Amino acid sequence: MLEFIVRFFVWLLQKLPLKAVQGLGHFVGGLAFIFAKKGRRTALSNLQLAFGDELSQKNRERIARNSFRNLITTAFEICWAKNLPEDINPVVSPLNKEACIEAYKRGKGVLLIVPHMGNWEVCARWLTQNLPSVNAVVRKQSEPWMEHMLQSFRHDTGLKVIYNRDSLRQVLSVLRHGELVIMMIDQHMRKGSVQVDFFGQPAMTSAAAALLAVKTGCEVLVGACYRGPNGGWGCEFTDPIETTLSGDRDSDYIVNTQRYVSLIEDMVRQHPEDWMWMHRRWRAGKQREASHTRR
């Protein structure tokens, strides 16, 4: 029954114009903020930890509410995405795109680290249109019909999927063949993680990206997606990030991961309403006082 309802809703979304899809996402996201009490509490708590007294209660609530709106709108846009124009360039506005394109051309493989911001799935379409081979490390859905649906959406974008469970060998292979791999490391991770600072708080973070950079010597960039004006989408790429190779692997994993996470933090600071604040990011034990003065 649930599958039928979801598939009918997806079919309905695909019949609507994009503005209507985004308006519906904005409305439903606002309702989710009201009724998803646990997620709302988590988002507001995270904002307090991250910004301390920099933000008033009113601003924390505004950012949290818009974070819910972005997440729901993103889900609706993914369902609608088959209607995207064949040429995505007019509707996605990337900053510093040359850095990503030139890194790919050097043929050493590119590891693109992105946070859960904006519509990361739609912006991936820009990558597949402008680069020869783009892969994404993703989590497999527990429901087969849901996984099949997501696979269909991603297939339409030209994105090749690598499932995160036991993915290391496959990711190493595609990087060594000079391809690009998208990886997300902005969520809490226990297994294979290191502790770094994110918004001044200890955050357990996957060390997989640093391990791959150390092992392959690939190019590493951080990118982020965000909502542009008039219903469009924006994204931004950093310049290639130097990989520290001291000979001490454990230390290198921490140093390099911290570098990536600090860049993610900078991007979240620029577009806080587009990040997924309802995720329990900080679970590394007792957090530091949130009322500290932020830089």
Side-chain angles (χ1 to χ4, degrees), residues 157-190:
T157 71
L159 193 65
K160 293 184 283 187
V161 167
I162 300 173
Y163 292 115
N164 62 348
R165 187 179 293 275
D166 302 321
S167 62
L168 180 60
R169 183 176 298 179
Q170 191 175 354
V171 175
L172 285 170
S173 176
V174 297
L175 285 174
R176 285 168 175 161
H177 281 87
E179 300 179 26
L180 182 142
V181 177
I182 301 169
M183 180 175 287
M184 291 177 155
I185 65 167
D186 64 323
Q187 294 192 334
H188 174 79
M189 182 73 65
R190 287 188 301 172

Side-chain angles (χ1 to χ4, degrees), residues 1 6 15 18 39 47 55 58 68 70 80 87-88 99 137 139 150 173 186 189 191 238 250 254 258 287:
M1 185 62 177
V6 172
K15 301 300 180 184
L18 178 59
L47 284 160
L55 294 177
K58 182 177 180 180
F68 274 86
N70 173 71
W80 179 89
D87 182 8
I88 197 74
V137 179
R139 180 180 300 171
L150 279 174
S173 176
D186 64 323
M189 182 73 65
K191 187 178 180 181
T238 66
D250 291 340
I254 295 172
Q258 180 66 70
Q287 302 295 343

